[in-house]
Amino acid sequence: MRSKIFDDAELERLRREAIPSSNELATAGDAAPQATDQLPRVEDAMDLPVVVDSDDDEMVSHELEQMRSILEEAILETRTMPLENRPRLPRIPLSKRNRAVVRALNPMLVTYLEASRDLCETDSVLFGAAVAACRIIGAKLPLAGRATKQSSAIPAWRKRIEDRIAKARALIGRLISFRSGNNRPRVVRSVRMAFAGTKISLSQPDITQKLTERIDDLKQKIAAWGKRIRRFTERSRRFNQNRLFQSDQKRLYKSLERPEVCGAGPGPDRANTVAFWRGLWSEPVNHSEGSWTEVMASQCASITPMDPVIITPDDVAEAVRRAPNWKSPGLDGLHHYWLKGFMVCHAVLARQFQEALNQKSLPSLFTTGITHLVPKDQWLMA
């Protein structure tokens, strides 16, 4: 259906073949009433944490108690945890099992959200619920803060090849040094390791020729490894360009038209940069207004004031519904996916946002960000 391979008529035919009608179900039920007792439950096969259709109430209550204890432990951990120490929440697959976990945790949050006093506390409760859901699902969570471990941009295969090249170059240097007459123990030991597994002895008369052949062999290997790196790099570049062409053609054409200038020259001085932005953002400025302000005030006097803004839970639900699931989160690290899943928080968020609007004050969590300085083109920087 996503790829639009079949038309509507073909899809309807496939649905009729895959899903039997009610008459067929009734006939099958009359013919074999014992068959349903012998088949395993779908929920059990998927290992759902909450068995909704099960008749065993004790098993359901036991699983819910386990989830409740995990939720309480996660909320206690995140309630007093600084924002920079919060773990990075992973992107979980949109599967039936994961949705069942989120639906089961949703009503458990009512008690914690009712006791929440402000937006910061509500945010910590929701983040703890997200951590609990990840633990129940089995998703990997880092133990330290989000900024403690960063993934390397160099792939593992390239690191292995570069290590081989470095070792081969070091061995070539020692072979050349031994051929020049250096007989130090470390050099001799390296030469013997280079000829290990062969019948070549360092005391034979044609050792110089053997050393030259070994050096040439290592140089050819280095050339082959370097060509492999260039080939993989070129393939990766083409793959990234094709993928960028599918998502953002304008960005691709810009990258092809002009070369990258990031890091081409010395970076800006830290003290001057801080002083420049501090003069714009931190120091108050007294503006001298002209006569045009009185004209604008007289023209705006007849404008009807806007009605008071009333934030409802439906407004919060609509705003969350239109937001992407896994868009890069803010300082709190909470994705929109969790705000969509934990629907009981919509009423609490609406009330607390209304209070913040009436008081004309928001917590620093919603007003603090990170500024990244992006260098422009050279002619703009000049």
Side-chain angles (χ1 to χ4, degrees):
M1 292 175 65
R2 292 194 187 100
S3 303
K4 302 184 184 302
I5 298 176
F6 304 109
D7 54 7
D8 296 338
E10 187 68 16
L11 288 174
E12 186 62 28
R13 185 185 65 80
L14 292 174
R15 289 193 190 97
R16 288 197 302 269
E17 293 180 358
I19 304 176
S21 62
S22 57
N23 296 331
E24 295 176 356
L25 289 175
T27 305
D30 296 338
Q34 295 86 6
T36 56
D37 298 335
Q38 298 176 359
L39 293 175
R41 290 192 299 269
V42 177
E43 290 82 3
D44 292 342
M46 295 180 63
D47 194 20
L48 288 175
V50 180
V51 186
V52 180
D53 298 332
S54 175
D55 296 333
D56 193 354
D57 296 336
E58 295 181 358
M59 181 168 54
V60 174
S61 61
H62 176 65
E63 292 172 349
L64 289 176
E65 286 300 323
Q66 286 184 347
M67 297 176 66
R68 195 181 301 275
S69 62
I70 295 175
L71 175 63
E72 183 177 0
E73 180 182 356
I75 291 178
L76 289 177
E77 290 179 5
T78 59
R79 189 180 295 273
T80 58
M81 182 183 297
L83 295 178
E84 59 273 11
N85 293 339
R86 286 184 177 182
R88 181 185 295 273
L89 295 176
R91 298 184 179 186
I92 63 174
L94 301 178
S95 62
K96 182 178 178 182
R97 175 175 178 266
N98 297 346
R99 287 195 297 268
V101 172
V102 176
R103 284 198 303 268
L105 292 176
N106 185 50
M108 301 180 187
L109 296 176
V110 175
T111 305
Y112 301 97
L113 293 175
E114 288 178 351
S116 176
R117 295 167 296 180
D118 54 11
L119 288 169
C120 293
E121 190 169 351
T122 302
D123 179 80
S124 66
V125 171
L126 294 176
F127 190 88
V131 172
C134 293
R135 290 177 179 175
I136 296 172
I137 292 169
K140 294 182 179 181
L141 282 171
L143 299 178
R146 292 186 305 235
T148 56
K149 183 178 180 181
Q150 298 180 353
S151 60
S152 176
I154 304 176
W157 61 266
R158 180 166 181 172
K159 287 185 177 181
R160 290 194 296 267
I161 296 178
E162 288 178 350
D163 291 342
R164 295 176 191 171
I165 292 176
K167 292 179 180 178
R169 285 176 175 171
L171 183 56
I172 288 175
R174 295 187 178 182
L175 291 176
I176 294 176
S177 179
F178 179 79
R179 189 177 59 180
S180 301
N182 189 349
N183 295 324
R184 286 186 298 178
R186 181 185 298 178
V187 176
V188 174
R189 184 166 58 250
S190 299
V191 174
R192 288 177 178 173
M193 291 178 61
F195 291 107
T198 63
K199 297 181 180 180
I200 299 174
S201 174
L202 300 184
S203 59
Q204 64 187 41
D206 59 343
I207 186 61
T208 303
Q209 181 182 358
K210 299 297 183 182
L211 287 172
T212 305
E213 293 176 357
R214 183 60 176 163
I215 291 172
D216 293 340
D217 182 51
L218 291 174
K219 287 181 179 180
Q220 292 178 7
K221 287 185 177 181
I222 291 175
W225 290 333
K227 187 176 180 180
R228 183 182 302 178
I229 291 178
R230 289 191 297 271
R231 185 174 66 250
F232 277 105
T233 302
E234 182 65 20
R235 179 200 173 278
S236 177
R237 186 182 65 84
R238 291 196 303 267
F239 176 80
N240 292 332
Q241 287 182 350
N242 292 336
R243 185 172 58 180
L244 187 60
F245 180 81
Q246 298 291 336
S247 59
D248 191 351
Q249 297 182 12
K250 181 178 179 181
R251 184 179 171 189
L252 172 63
Y253 293 142
K254 284 185 177 180
S255 64
L256 294 177
E257 289 175 358
R258 51 193 179 190
E260 297 290 340
V261 297
C262 297
D269 184 68
R270 180 180 179 87
N272 295 336
T273 304
V274 172
F276 174 78
W277 290 108
R278 182 172 294 166
L280 293 179
W281 290 346
S282 300
E283 299 177 1
V285 179
N286 295 326
H287 299 279
S288 59
E289 307 295 351
S291 59
W292 65 272
T293 56
E294 299 178 359
V295 177
M296 292 299 300
S298 61
Q299 292 178 357
C300 297
S302 59
I303 298 178
T304 304
M306 186 179 66
D307 295 334
V309 177
I310 305 299
I311 302 176
T312 63
D314 294 336
D315 296 334
V316 177
E318 179 64 18
V320 171
R321 184 188 66 82
R322 290 186 281 105
N325 283 342
W326 303 109
K327 187 177 180 180
S328 181
L331 295 179
D332 58 348
L334 192 66
H335 299 88
H336 294 138
Y337 172 82
W338 305 107
L339 299 179
K340 294 180 182 180
F342 301 137
M343 294 181 292
V344 294
C345 72
H346 295 170
V348 179
L349 289 176
R351 174 175 55 82
Q352 293 178 349
F353 274 118
Q354 186 68 50
E355 294 175 356
L357 182 63
N358 296 336
Q359 298 173 3
K360 300 180 180 180
S361 175
L362 277 174
S364 60
L365 172 64
F366 296 89
T367 58
T368 305
I370 302 175
T371 302
H372 296 277
L373 301 180
V374 180
K376 304 298 182 181
D377 292 341
Q378 293 180 351
W379 65 275
L380 289 177
M381 295 178 65

